């Protein structure tokens, strides 16, 4: 197979393709296209195989039917122009700030209800609204320390928001390991581009967590709380703890004494001030939530309410992830920030409203139906691909519990060239930028997690549906620092944080094994 055959049959592509405009290569992808032509098909395949082998050896795997496979990292990077990224960056920052204001209001004075911005019932009936934390104000006012905002590009190439993730957003470990792996697999291509670095994430997160410490604590102890080795995102937990230089703990390593959280150590109990938890609300505190949970720490909510420990992200944030609340985000941005939304939502129908429900029920075979509490692509029904029986069953579910569903049009996600068995072909992608809020600023990691749907025509990008990922290269303009890889230290400053060389990618890493944990749901996986 020569290089021309790699791209044979690539187009024309319906919708927006990020490398090709018709048959012409877009300017930003010109160097990559030329580099792949020079390497030839055999060399590209060889490097792709080496990339997959390295992930398998490093333990970056996921499970399918009990079999461990290397997590698919495609060898063709995704490029985003600097101007496009600035637009995304501004939009993500705006969205995080509006959600912060919403959470403070919903768990506090409730002015948005009195002003009729969002119906009180919409918030109070969310399964992730927790009255137990009503009135609990975090030390520096931050509830969303880390956010992951899922974006797509529509048929015109415009970025639009698909959903918000402000509970326990995951996937940033892929961003860091993908960068290190792909820069090693394509060193000459990497060197031909000015790419913004991603290695600052861990130190930016640590700085934000330290700033969230309880009042009067000048040198806080920060820990990462994991459900344990069988959790699907355990690799990420270990990577972040190691690159931040903090302890990785399980619930059994912590104990509450006199309203304070203490960590068991060889020197006895030591105080903990900030907990970056990777455990869902329902399993975090068996005193307040599930009494049968062995993953959390009894009394941790009372310690937070007493002001002795900060939980990041805050308990109760899930109400902001509710896909029904998502439909109100444009109004919340206008209400709290007096601004127009920078990033548009996807058009959405609320099944709880009779007129909208009636329209959708007449068009079930044309639309995408999503459960408001779904994650990882679970429960989504794509009307045009569903059978009559599936649509009849869906109709019954909607009529039984309208509040539990929203509907959206079928949007053809943008495509990016991807190496598959038949050559390089267009495959649909989305993007999850990660934002870190320290109370003074919202910093957005330049790039984020690009997930790619590897089966032809598939619109759901989750790895549980056969998806993989790409390294996302945000191109730097002349005034911005570039990623120098391992050739030199990174000189980029992030809010005064000391720089890190980035995560080590070596045999010490624990496997990113996508296994089901009996109590912890898969929401901590970008799959």
């Amino acid at each position: 197979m020569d290089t021309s055959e790699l791209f044979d049959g690539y187009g024309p592509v319906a919708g927006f393709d990020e490398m090709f405009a018709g048959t012409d290569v877009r300017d930003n992808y010109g160097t990559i296209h030329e580099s792949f032509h020079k390497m030839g098909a055999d060399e590209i395949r060889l490097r792709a195989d080496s990339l997959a082998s390295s992930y398998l050896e490093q333990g970056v795997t996921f499970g399918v039917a009990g079999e461990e496979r290397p997590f698919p990292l495609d060898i063709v990077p995704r490029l985003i122009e600097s101007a496009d990224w600035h637009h995304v960056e501004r939009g993500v920052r705006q969205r995080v700030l509006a959600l912060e204001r919403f959470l403070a209001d919903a768990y506090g004075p409730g002015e948005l209800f009195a002003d009729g911005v969002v119906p009180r019932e919409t918030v109070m009936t969310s399964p992730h609204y927790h009255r137990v934390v009503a009135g609990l104000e975090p030390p520096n006012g931050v509830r969303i320390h880390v956010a992951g905002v899922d974006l797509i590009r529509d048929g015109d190439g415009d970025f639009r928001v698909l959903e918000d993730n402000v509970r326990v957003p995951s996937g940033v470990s892929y961003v860091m390991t993908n960068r290190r792996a792909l820069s090693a697999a394509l060193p000459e291509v990497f060197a031909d581009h000015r790419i913004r670095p991603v290695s600052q994430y861990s130190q930016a997160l640590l700085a934000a967590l330290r700033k969230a410490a309880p009042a009067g604590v000048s040198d806080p102890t920060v820990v990462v709380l994991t459900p344990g080795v069988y959790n699907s995102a355990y690799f990420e937990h270990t990577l972040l703890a190691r690159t931040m230089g903090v302890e990785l703990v399980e619930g059994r390593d912590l104990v509450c004494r006199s309203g304070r959280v203490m960590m068991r150590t060889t020197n006895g109990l030591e105080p903990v001030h900030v907990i970056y938890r990777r455990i869902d609300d329902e399993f975090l505190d068996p005193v307040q939530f599930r009494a049968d949970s062995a993953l959390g720490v009894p009394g941790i909510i009372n310690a937070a309410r007493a002001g002795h420990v900060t939980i990041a992200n805050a308990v109760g944030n899930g109400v902001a992830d509710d896909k029904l609340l998502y439909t109100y985000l444009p109004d919340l941005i206008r209400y709290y920030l007096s601004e127009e939304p920078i990033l548009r939502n996807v058009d959405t129908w609320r099944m709880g409203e009779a007129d909208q429900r009636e329209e959708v029920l007449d068009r079930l075979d044309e639309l995408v139906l999503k459960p408001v509490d779904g994650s990882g692509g679970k429960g989504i029904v794509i009307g045009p691909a569903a059978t009559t029986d599936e649509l009849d069953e869906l109709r019954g579910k909607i009529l039984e519990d309208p509040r539990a569903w929203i509907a959206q049009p079928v949007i053809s996600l943008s495509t990016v060239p991807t190496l598959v068995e038949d050559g390089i072909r267009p495959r649909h992608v989305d993007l999850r930028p990660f934002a870190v809020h320290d109370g003074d600023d919202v910093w957005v990691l330049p790039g984020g997690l690009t997930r790619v749907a590897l089966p032809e025509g598939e619109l759901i990008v989750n790895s549980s549906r056969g998806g993989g990922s790409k390294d996302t290269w945000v191109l730097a303009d002349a005034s911005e620092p570039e990623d120098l890889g391992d050739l030199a230290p990174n000189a980029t400053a992030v809010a005064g944080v000391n720089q890190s060389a980035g995560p080590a990618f070596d045999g010490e890493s624990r496997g990113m094994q996508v296994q089901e944990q009996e109590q912890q749901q898969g929401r901590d996986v970008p799959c």
Side-chain angles (χ1 to χ4, degrees):
M1 180 183 293
D2 62 26
T3 307
S4 62
E5 288 177 322
L6 273 174
F7 285 94
D8 276 357
Y10 189 89
V13 176
F16 183 82
D17 186 81
E18 299 190 18
M19 178 181 276
F20 291 96
T23 58
D24 297 327
V25 179
R26 299 185 190 273
D27 290 343
N28 59 327
Y29 274 95
T31 301
I32 286 180
H33 189 268
E34 182 180 353
S35 297
F36 273 55
H37 177 77
K38 289 179 178 178
M39 280 188 283
D42 290 342
E43 178 66 18
I44 292 170
R45 292 284 186 191
L46 183 64
R47 297 194 191 195
D49 290 344
S50 177
L51 190 61
S53 296
S54 72
Y55 261 33
L56 186 59
E57 292 168 1
Q58 309 298 337
V60 187
T61 62
F62 73 108
V64 177
E67 178 187 352
E68 287 302 314
R69 301 179 184 177
F71 185 77
L73 168 60
D74 186 57
I75 197 166
V76 185
R78 181 190 193 178
L79 271 59
I80 299 179
E81 291 277 14
S82 178
D84 289 336
W85 181 253
H86 287 313
H87 178 75
V88 167
E89 193 174 42
R90 289 174 52 240
V92 169
R93 182 180 294 115
Q94 179 191 62
R95 206 163 177 99
V96 170
L97 291 175
L99 287 170
E100 283 279 17
R101 295 280 295 273
F102 159 73
L103 288 167
D105 198 1
Y107 284 106
E111 294 175 356
L112 79 165
F113 306 132
D115 292 339
V117 183
V118 176
R120 183 182 296 272
E121 182 182 15
T122 296
V123 173
M124 300 304 169
T125 57
S126 171
H128 299 292
Y129 178 81
H130 297 312
R131 296 179 186 276
V132 69
V133 293
L136 197 166
E137 297 185 9
N140 66 339
V142 176
R143 289 173 170 82
I144 306 171
H145 303 83
V146 179
V149 180
D150 290 351
L151 307 177
I152 61 167
R153 298 186 84 163
D154 62 18
D156 297 322
D158 295 330
F159 283 101
R160 303 183 73 166
V161 179
L162 198 59
E163 64 180 56
D164 303 289
N165 300 276
V166 297
R167 277 175 285 183
V168 192
S170 68
V172 74
S173 57
Y174 291 89
V175 178
M176 296 189 286
T177 54
N178 284 357
R179 173 60 53 83
R180 184 172 287 267
L182 202 66
S183 62
L186 297 173
E188 67 275 60
V189 181
F190 189 82
D192 285 339
H193 294 80
R194 299 191 78 253
I195 305 163
R196 293 186 62 184
V198 298
S199 59
Q200 326 100 302
Y201 180 83
S202 295
Q203 294 307 308
L205 174 58
L206 178 60
L209 295 174
R210 289 177 61 85
K211 289 182 69 173
V217 179
S218 59
D219 186 19
T221 296
V222 178
V223 299
V224 175
L225 176 60
T226 176
V229 66
Y230 294 111
N231 180 259
S232 51
Y234 187 70
F235 170 83
E236 179 156 305
H237 308 165
T238 61
L239 186 149
L240 289 175
R242 178 160 51 85
T243 55
M244 286 194 292
V246 304
E247 293 291 338
L248 179 69
V249 300
E250 297 182 26
R252 60 190 176 185
D253 299 318
L254 303 178
V255 61
C256 290
R257 292 284 188 272
S258 303
R260 300 178 185 274
V261 178
M262 312 296 286
M263 175 172 55
R264 292 186 172 96
T265 74
T266 55
N267 296 320
L269 295 179
E270 296 183 1
V272 170
H273 306 105
V274 182
I275 300 174
Y276 181 45
R277 53 81 177 235
R278 303 303 297 261
I279 296 176
D280 288 349
D281 290 354
E282 292 77 9
F283 302 99
L284 187 60
D285 187 341
V287 173
Q288 302 291 349
F289 300 111
R290 288 187 52 158
D292 63 342
S293 173
L295 304 177
V297 184
I300 193 174
I301 299 297
N302 287 337
R305 183 172 290 281
H308 296 147
V309 71
T310 300
I311 302 171
N313 282 354
V315 175
N317 278 13
V319 68
D321 284 1
D322 191 305
K323 291 182 178 64
L324 184 56
L325 193 281
Y326 158 93
T327 66
Y328 292 94
L329 246 294
D331 293 331
L332 293 175
I333 290 171
R334 298 183 186 102
Y335 177 67
Y336 289 120
L337 306 181
S338 300
E339 299 172 355
E340 284 300 309
I342 296 170
L343 296 171
R344 292 186 299 156
N345 278 13
V346 174
D347 297 337
T348 306
W349 290 266
R350 303 166 185 153
M351 295 301 89
E353 299 186 12
D355 55 340
Q356 297 189 31
R357 181 171 64 252
E358 182 179 354
E359 178 184 354
V360 168
L361 290 176
D362 287 339
R363 300 175 54 197
L364 278 183
D365 60 343
E366 304 173 13
L367 302 173
V368 176
L369 277 295
K370 298 180 178 181
V372 298
D373 191 36
S375 62
K378 297 176 182 177
I380 293 177
V381 178
I382 299 178
T387 66
T388 301
D389 288 343
E390 288 171 338
L391 292 178
D392 288 343
E393 181 183 359
L394 175 63
R395 185 185 305 274
K397 290 180 178 179
I398 292 172
L399 292 173
E400 180 181 356
D401 187 5
R403 194 247 184 255
W405 294 88
I406 59 167
Q408 295 176 334
V410 178
I411 294 182
S412 182
L413 283 62
S414 64
T415 53
V416 176
T418 303
L419 184 64
V420 295
E421 185 176 348
D422 297 333
I424 293 179
R425 298 290 183 268
R427 291 295 185 263
H428 295 292
V429 298
D430 75 353
L431 176 67
R432 177 177 289 182
F434 291 89
V436 176
H437 188 198
D438 67 3
D440 295 319
D441 187 30
V442 177
W443 175 75
V444 183
L445 178 69
L449 175 64
T450 288
R451 299 180 295 183
V452 54
L454 296 177
E456 184 176 3
E458 178 64 71
L459 293 175
I460 298 179
V461 298
N462 310 91
S463 64
S464 57
R465 299 284 288 266
S469 68
K470 285 178 171 287
D471 190 15
T472 309
W473 294 2
V474 173
L475 302 181
D477 62 30
S479 65
E480 295 169 332
E482 61 178 308
D483 192 336
L484 300 177
D486 291 330
L487 300 179
N490 191 313
T492 311
V494 182
V497 176
N498 291 330
Q499 297 307 297
S500 164
F505 191 53
D506 53 40
E508 294 179 1
S509 301
R510 304 295 283 271
M512 187 181 291
Q513 301 168 345
V514 180
Q515 307 173 39
E516 291 293 332
Q517 177 148 335
E518 182 175 352
Q519 290 182 307
Q520 178 71 3
Q521 296 181 0
R523 187 159 42 253
D524 204 12
V525 192
C527 309

